[in-house]
Amino acid sequence: MTLSNKKANCGDQIDRISDFPSNVIDGILEHLNIRDRARTSILSKKWRYIWTSFPRLEFDKEFFDLYDGDSDQEDFVDHKPNISRFITEVLLLHNGPIYKFTLFMHRHFNIKIEFLVKWILFLSRKGVKHIQLVNNTYHSYRMPSHLFSCQELTHVRIRHFNMSVPPNFRGFKSLLHLHLEQIKFELGALESLISGCPLLEELCILNCSGYECVDLSASPTLKVFHIEYNHAIKSICLEKANSLIDLTLIVYRDGVSGLNNILPKVQRLTMGLDSKMLYADVIHPTPLICLKYLKLSTVNLEQREELLHIVSVLKSASNLVELVMETCCDKDYKTEVPDHAEELDCSSYCLNQLLTVNIKVKTNFKHVMSLIRFILANSSSLKTLTLDIDLGYKKSDVPILFGISRDLLWMERASQRAHVEVLHQRIDYDFKDYRYY
């Protein structure tokens, strides 16, 4: 054996990974799934227990996919005891705090409630700050009461659970972000939960049930509020939500109080109404000086008064950058371009900051062309306006489409760089894309 070969063999035996700085080790573990982290214990003696002190545990979709693989549903269900046992062993072996815990429950994986209770109890003693419990099964679990003992929580996301708040709940004094989806609340549970979070900055309530009102009076620090609620909800109180800058309201009845008091400070606004409601009855004339993003769904532009109100809203939003609008569909309305378009003020240049517009129309063009003419004439910085048309699949609609295209080409534009895109569905169910510059 030559001297160079001896040196090479000696070099191969050097332990290069045991002396990695702690930040490098953390970076490696962060990019591994939970099973591969456990496997790092065989790398060296120093690495044997490193994974047990990593402060983030994610049993996410990727983790369950490792068991799922290419097997069928029946094979996957057979892994249920192994999965629960593995999660339990990982928690019991863990040494140190757990700052983030994620549990993504596969739709075919129904765990026993006693396992879930034990896991949440264990986390309540580990100083958990960020917890995600996403239930994608067909079974709705009752949320273990131990969750409300996790006093250091800052981020919570929960999906598809039944929830009641224990009477000894002392609140989440550090909670900043709360995301609730498909939660069935017991009476008074949501109100108790929100009132117990004095530092809350972001609140999302999506497709939940079991509550009649949402009162944000106890959330003066709230900056982001998203809610999509069902027909049973009677009221939403925004009276003291003076810090809101991002607001999403999908409502089906008139019951929002304090909205127009907080709108001048809102930067992002997304709204959707019942098709029988008008924005003129919800958004009152007020300066929207901070508004940069506006999305309005189910806009009834058949009503002339609604068109004029939408225009007044746009005029009050002088700093608007992006506009998204979807008109509602009247099944009895005959598709046609109106002979006489509504005359609107096209000389004020009131939308100087507007860059992007996306308008989706469903078979109804009454007043839409007037609105587009107004936007093009008053947006000196506009880059793109997209008109997405759903005409159905009738050949008789083709001349109407060409008429719309012709009118768009002739419209005056305050921005020389603005171009209009027209998207529509063809009879063969494919998508056709016309662009006009």
Side-chain angles (χ1 to χ4, degrees):
M1 182 179 294
T2 64
L3 181 62
S4 60
N5 287 336
K6 288 182 179 180
K7 290 182 177 180
N9 289 335
C10 292
D12 290 341
Q13 312 231 347
I14 296 176
D15 186 356
R16 300 182 184 277
I17 64 174
S18 292
D19 295 327
F20 280 164
S22 59
N23 63 321
V24 174
I25 294 175
D26 289 342
I28 293 173
L29 294 177
E30 185 176 358
H31 289 84
L32 298 178
N33 61 57
I34 188 66
R35 291 210 308 183
D36 287 340
R37 284 180 197 160
R39 289 168 177 167
T40 61
S41 61
I42 67 172
L43 294 177
S44 70
K45 290 182 179 180
K46 184 176 179 180
W47 277 76
R48 186 172 182 179
Y49 298 107
I50 287 180
W51 72 276
T52 64
S53 60
F54 192 71
R56 294 192 293 277
L57 296 179
E58 290 117 0
F59 302 98
D60 52 13
K61 186 177 183 299
E62 181 182 358
F63 167 76
F64 284 92
D65 286 344
L66 293 173
Y67 287 92
D68 192 5
D70 296 327
S71 62
D72 57 23
Q73 175 181 341
E74 184 176 351
D75 292 336
F76 180 67
V77 173
D78 289 340
H79 286 296
K80 288 192 294 184
N82 293 332
I83 294 176
S84 296
R85 190 180 304 114
F86 179 81
I87 295 175
T88 302
E89 289 178 355
V90 168
L91 288 172
L92 291 177
L93 287 172
H94 196 276
N95 180 26
I98 299 176
Y99 295 136
K100 182 178 180 179
F101 179 82
T102 297
L103 179 63
F104 177 98
M105 297 163 60
H106 194 282
R107 64 182 181 277
H108 298 143
F109 177 59
N110 292 317
I111 67 173
K112 294 182 178 179
I113 187 63
E114 52 262 32
F115 280 107
L116 187 60
V117 171
K118 290 179 181 179
W119 298 342
I120 301 301
L121 174 60
F122 183 86
L123 292 171
S124 68
R125 299 168 179 172
K126 285 288 187 174
V128 63
K129 297 179 181 294
H130 190 149
I131 190 167
Q132 294 189 74
L133 303 174
V134 180
N135 176 18
N136 286 318
T137 72
Y138 302 106
H139 175 67
S140 182
Y141 293 88
R142 175 172 291 277
M143 177 57 59
S145 60
H146 299 301
L147 176 72
F148 298 94
S149 300
C150 301
Q151 292 297 304
E152 299 181 41
L153 282 172
T154 60
H155 294 71
V156 173
R157 181 192 175 198
I158 303 174
R159 183 181 188 272
H160 196 196
F161 280 85
N162 298 333
M163 182 178 290
S164 60
V165 177
N168 60 345
F169 177 52
R170 295 181 296 169
F172 293 132
K173 304 304 181 183
S174 301
L175 193 64
L176 302 176
H177 298 261
L178 178 59
H179 185 114
L180 304 168
E181 183 178 356
Q182 295 183 21
I183 304 298
K184 184 177 181 179
F185 294 100
E186 290 193 1
L187 187 62
L190 180 61
E191 292 84 347
S192 298
L193 182 59
I194 294 176
S195 62
C197 305
L199 300 181
L200 198 61
E201 294 182 355
E202 181 175 327
L203 174 61
C204 296
I205 306 174
L206 308 177
N207 302 317
C208 297
S209 62
Y211 63 101
E212 294 185 348
C213 63
V214 178
D215 189 348
L216 301 182
S217 300
S219 306
T221 59
L222 195 66
K223 296 180 180 179
V224 179
F225 179 48
H226 294 182
I227 183 168
E228 298 180 13
Y229 67 88
N230 55 40
H231 295 270
I233 305 309
K234 296 180 180 180
S235 66
I236 297 177
C237 180
L238 304 175
E239 295 288 351
K240 298 183 180 180
N242 296 320
S243 299
L244 275 180
I245 59 174
D246 188 336
L247 176 62
T248 297
L249 286 175
I250 309 299
V251 298
Y252 297 100
R253 65 168 64 179
D254 185 14
V256 182
S257 61
L259 173 63
N260 293 282
N261 294 334
I262 57 99
L263 279 182
K265 295 182 180 180
V266 172
Q267 298 178 15
R268 293 180 60 87
L269 177 62
T270 299
M271 291 196 67
L273 304 179
D274 185 271
S275 59
K276 298 179 181 179
M277 298 175 64
L278 296 177
Y279 282 93
D281 299 327
V282 179
I283 302 178
H284 300 163
T286 184
L288 306 175
I289 54 177
C290 295
L291 194 63
K292 295 183 179 180
Y293 174 88
L294 176 61
K295 179 178 180 180
L296 301 177
S297 301
T298 59
V299 181
N300 186 358
L301 289 181
E302 295 177 41
Q303 304 285 341
R304 177 178 180 272
E305 294 77 10
E306 185 76 336
L307 168 68
L308 297 179
H309 182 73
I310 295 298
V311 169
S312 68
V313 169
L314 294 178
K315 286 183 176 181
S316 67
S318 57
N319 292 310
L320 190 65
V321 175
E322 183 175 356
L323 172 65
V324 180
M325 188 177 300
E326 298 179 3
T327 65
C328 58
C329 177
D330 184 353
K331 296 180 180 179
D332 299 326
Y333 181 78
K334 182 180 179 181
T335 303
E336 60 181 7
V337 180
D339 295 332
H340 176 69
E342 182 72 28
E343 294 295 333
L344 302 173
D345 181 13
C346 296
S347 60
S348 60
Y349 297 101
C350 54
L351 298 171
N352 291 330
Q353 306 298 320
L354 190 61
L355 300 177
T356 306
V357 177
N358 192 315
I359 299 177
K360 187 172 184 178
V361 184
K362 294 184 178 180
T363 70
N364 190 338
F365 296 94
K366 190 173 184 179
H367 299 316
V368 171
M369 301 302 287
S370 297
L371 180 62
I372 293 177
R373 179 179 287 106
F374 167 80
I375 293 173
L376 289 175
N378 289 282
S379 307
S380 58
S381 301
L382 188 67
K383 291 183 178 180
T384 304
L385 186 148
T386 302
L387 179 60
D388 190 348
I389 304 173
D390 183 2
L391 285 176
Y393 309 105
K394 297 182 295 183
K395 291 184 179 180
S396 59
D397 290 332
V398 174
I400 297 175
L401 183 63
F402 280 106
I404 293 171
S405 304
R406 178 198 60 216
D407 292 345
L408 289 172
L409 283 171
W410 284 99
M411 288 183 183
E412 296 184 6
R413 307 179 188 184
S415 173
Q416 296 302 315
R417 60 178 178 172
H419 72 274
V420 178
E421 296 181 354
V422 180
L423 309 178
H424 68 93
Q425 289 183 313
R426 295 196 318 191
I427 298 172
D428 58 5
Y429 294 84
D430 290 332
F431 285 91
K432 185 72 174 179
D433 182 359
Y434 287 103
R435 288 186 172 89
Y436 301 96
Y437 300 87

